[in-house]
Amino acid sequence: MQSISMFPRQSPAKIGSAAMQWACTRRGRMAVLTVTLFALFLGLMGMGHHEALSLKYHGVSSYYPWRPYLPNLPSIIHSPFKTPSNTTLQLENGEIDHVPPNLKKTTPNFHLIMPSERDTGGFCKTTLSAMLLSYPPPTAIQLYTVFGSDVQWERDTLNSTLHYLSNKKLVKDEDLILIVDGQQSWFQLPSDVIVAQYKRLLEDANIRLLRTYGVNKDGFQKFNQTIVFGAEKVCESDDMACMYVPQSILPDNMYGPETGRHIAEMPANFLNSKMVMGPANHLRVLYRAALDKFERNRSQSQTVQSVFATLFGEQQLRRDAIELRNKPAVAKIKDYLVGGWSRSAAERRLERANITLHNTTQHDFSIGLDYTHNLFQPLVYCTEDELVPLLHDNSTDLSAYHHPDSWTQYLSLPPILSATKPPFWRPDPINHNPSPNEKPAYIDKLEFTMDLDSLPGRKTPWTKVPLIQNTYTGAIPAVLLNHGYYVGAEHPPTANVTWESLWYSDYKRALLRNYFRTPQSPNGYHNSLVGGDRSWDQRGGRGGVWTEAEQIWFPWGEVDGVCGTLSQLKEVFKDGRGVWLHEHEENGEEERIKEEQELSKKVAEERKKEEERK
């Protein structure tokens, strides 16, 4: 037996007091019993556990009249949809043009973290798409840092992320954290939508966990999910930990017959470490364990991916062990009726692992995967017709894209899109001037001009813009991961989706100008002052990135900031309209090249002086 040394066990997160009281009531116990009996009924009717979960549960969760109690979640997942304060409503409606004094921010924050050592064209696309969809100003991990080896980069990425999560001045326990790859991520849906999708995903995942593992002797749900990683179809580098992952909640035959399939024709069930979302306090514990495992070399490879894959595999093995130990007699009878004393998936995983899981170690970190890609969608290992930009109005026959064995009966928009602002919404320049009073922060280069600011109507609905949809799961992902790794010498099949496929492709410059104007309005001032009801980040800043270590602000599109070179701007906008915020200058491009050369010269001189001092 191989023994794995892990970490001191910590108590699982307590469930809210009101929820605990509910769980201990007769109604709570009856609800748990109802779900358990329902699952048993499906099994006794001839379906295996996985088939029952995959094919039937999706429909159950949509109409079942109760939701399970959840562990303590960041209250921010509710805040974007609460009725805003009268002050915010009056500002947005143009009823007042000043901000009352002595306001304080009381809502939690939403943080966007992006590991990226370089300021590349990919980084510029990632940050631009985040701005266009009102995500928090990104915090860049390891930006402009030089590393001696790949292992050092991997270790320092874990360490710097943990360092930011541990900064109690910036990050509170109840804050919500989104971490995506800073080089390869494209945002497709607004920030409030991904928060709502995250909440719904947790609700469904925790119902499944409650049904599978039940509650403990105190009435607490045994296992919860609060941290969501992206899911992919292939195990990177054939990591051994991938042998112990749970099965996908999707049907095995969703892409067609189960025999002779390629990787692209299988449901995603492996962890992708480049995309993760969860509460700050839970991610802090997870990253501390990941860094410790990395430094002790307790994963197959010295990579962030391998470390998190190992933690996810160990979590499942611990759950398997507890499931088998507590297997009720009625389940054993069911096993006998449907096929004798056959081994379950949990038993097979434990047999393959052949390890000892110490009781003194914390193995459960509330990790789960986004199997249906409502939050995160990798573009590699997709079938030819899996990801398609679709309009959801009467001009498109959506049934033509439906697959007989797919996860959903028909393709539709996420319901939350009807509750968020339309894609091209902006302040009304006639009835509500974006800058009714002159302020020092006013940027004259953002004056409204028809050639730069033309957009579809303010009330154009989401049904009128093409959104990239997974035609097998029905999901419209909030974030796309546009880069994959290679298995062997073959190039993996990749979805026919490019930067220009995104719905805002033809309007990037105009939308970014609209985004930059917001701080000039009273409502923008209100948000920068106190965070506001509709703002995520208390640090302020708009149109740039923060660095993690130095807390330096780099403006976007400026030569002394990020994404300010002429080549980067041309790659991002692709509209031939010149340098950002210098569009109407005759020699704008020549001047930008001159500024780049001067900056490069200064940087080289400073490096030379630094080397001489050494």
Side-chain angles (χ1 to χ4, degrees), residues 259-308:
T259 58
R261 292 183 298 176
H262 299 289
I263 293 175
E265 299 168 331
M266 299 179 181
N269 70 321
F270 299 111
L271 179 147
N272 187 313
S273 66
K274 293 179 181 292
M275 305 172 286
V276 60
M277 191 170 184
N281 54 345
H282 292 188
L283 280 171
R284 193 180 301 128
V285 173
L286 174 63
Y287 268 80
R288 189 176 295 120
L291 181 61
D292 187 78
K293 185 174 288 291
F294 188 99
E295 292 178 335
R296 294 172 181 266
N297 198 15
R298 296 298 178 88
S299 58
Q300 180 171 319
S301 305
Q302 289 290 84
T303 64
V304 173
Q305 171 68 30
S306 184
V307 166
F308 282 121

Side-chain angles (χ1 to χ4, degrees), residues 317-391:
L317 291 175
R318 169 61 64 175
R319 291 180 178 182
D320 288 343
I322 293 176
E323 179 185 7
L324 293 180
R325 186 177 64 208
N326 300 327
K327 198 170 187 179
V330 67
K332 295 178 181 178
I333 296 174
K334 174 226 169 181
D335 286 344
Y336 177 77
L337 293 176
V338 300
W341 301 103
S342 59
R343 292 178 304 160
S344 65
E347 289 171 312
R348 291 193 297 270
R349 281 192 294 265
L350 288 169
E351 183 176 310
R352 286 197 301 268
N354 191 32
I355 61 175
T356 300
L357 299 174
H358 300 299
N359 291 329
T360 58
T361 302
Q362 177 178 352
H363 298 98
D364 207 283
F365 296 94
S366 301
I367 302 171
L369 304 188
D370 177 24
Y371 294 109
T372 57
H373 308 297
N374 280 286
L375 307 183
F376 311 119
Q377 173 70 67
L379 299 187
V380 293
Y381 291 104
C382 289
T383 62
E384 184 178 357
D385 56 352
E386 185 163 358
L387 297 179
V388 183
L390 294 176
L391 289 170

Side-chain angles (χ1 to χ4, degrees), residues 109-157:
N109 289 314
F110 183 23
H111 302 259
L112 175 59
I113 300 175
M114 293 182 178
S116 178
E117 76 277 20
R118 293 176 295 135
D119 175 11
T120 65
F123 179 80
C124 297
K125 291 176 182 177
T126 298
T127 50
L128 172 62
S129 64
M131 289 188 288
L132 298 186
L133 290 158
S134 298
Y135 283 79
T139 297
I141 301 293
Q142 305 297 337
L143 189 63
Y144 301 136
T145 303
V146 179
F147 296 93
S149 66
D150 291 341
V151 172
Q152 183 186 359
W153 154 253
E154 301 278 351
R155 180 200 175 279
D156 287 357
T157 297

Side-chain angles (χ1 to χ4, degrees), residues 43-232:
L44 292 175
M45 290 298 293
M47 287 186 283
H49 171 76
H50 172 56
E51 184 181 0
L53 196 63
S54 299
L55 296 180
K56 301 298 181 182
Y57 184 75
H58 186 64
V60 174
S61 67
S62 63
Y63 72 78
Y64 209 66
W66 63 277
R67 291 293 190 190
Y69 49 84
L70 296 174
N72 290 330
L73 295 178
S75 58
I76 197 171
I77 68 173
H78 306 288
S79 61
F81 315 108
K82 288 182 177 179
T83 302
S85 66
N86 289 333
T87 300
T88 295
L89 290 175
Q90 288 173 327
L91 287 168
E92 292 183 346
N93 295 332
E95 298 175 15
I96 60 175
D97 58 5
H98 65 281
V99 180
N102 301 322
L103 294 178
K104 293 183 179 180
K105 177 175 171 59
T106 59
T107 55
N109 289 314
F110 183 23
H111 302 259
L112 175 59
I113 300 175
M114 293 182 178
S116 178
E117 76 277 20
R118 293 176 295 135
D119 175 11
T120 65
F123 179 80
C124 297
K125 291 176 182 177
T126 298
T127 50
L128 172 62
S129 64
M131 289 188 288
L132 298 186
L133 290 158
S134 298
Y135 283 79
T139 297
I141 301 293
Q142 305 297 337
L143 189 63
Y144 301 136
T145 303
V146 179
F147 296 93
S149 66
D150 291 341
V151 172
Q152 183 186 359
W153 154 253
E154 301 278 351
R155 180 200 175 279
D156 287 357
T157 297
L158 285 173
N159 187 52
S160 295
T161 304
L162 177 60
H163 182 265
Y164 180 78
L165 294 174
S166 302
N167 187 336
K168 294 300 183 69
K169 292 183 179 179
L170 297 177
V171 182
K172 309 301 182 185
D173 286 351
E174 66 272 16
D175 288 355
L176 187 61
I177 309 293
L178 172 62
I179 304 174
V180 300
D181 186 275
Q183 298 279 343
Q184 304 152 0
S185 304
W186 299 337
F187 292 87
Q188 179 178 220
L189 298 180
S191 56
D192 54 349
V193 173
I194 196 173
V195 171
Q197 297 287 60
Y198 164 78
K199 176 190 175 186
R200 181 174 180 180
L201 188 153
L202 292 190
E203 289 178 339
D204 286 346
N206 280 284
I207 289 177
R208 292 194 299 270
L209 290 172
L210 177 63
R211 189 177 68 177
T212 302
Y213 300 104
V215 298
N216 61 21
K217 61 182 180 179
D218 298 318
F220 288 79
Q221 185 168 326
K222 285 182 181 176
F223 301 112
N224 300 290
Q225 180 174 324
T226 58
I227 296 173
V228 182
F229 279 92
E232 57 189 5

Side-chain angles (χ1 to χ4, degrees), residues 548-587:
E548 180 276 320
E550 305 85 2
Q551 288 297 307
I552 296 174
W553 174 257
F554 283 105
W556 195 95
E558 299 295 336
V559 71
D560 58 346
V562 296
C563 307
T565 68
L566 183 60
S567 61
Q568 288 172 333
L569 294 172
K570 285 186 174 181
E571 181 180 353
V572 168
F573 288 116
K574 293 185 177 181
D575 58 4
R577 294 184 179 179
V579 179
W580 167 247
L581 292 184
H582 298 271
E583 292 88 351
H584 293 132
E585 298 177 9
E586 290 186 8
N587 301 318

Side-chain angles (χ1 to χ4, degrees), residues 8 22 64 94 129 227 240 255 275 306 351 423 436 466 469 503 528 539 549 578:
W22 181 90
Y64 209 66
S129 64
I227 296 173
M240 290 293 292
Y255 292 88
M275 305 172 286
S306 184
E351 183 176 310
Q469 187 163 27
W503 66 266
S528 65
R539 288 179 298 176

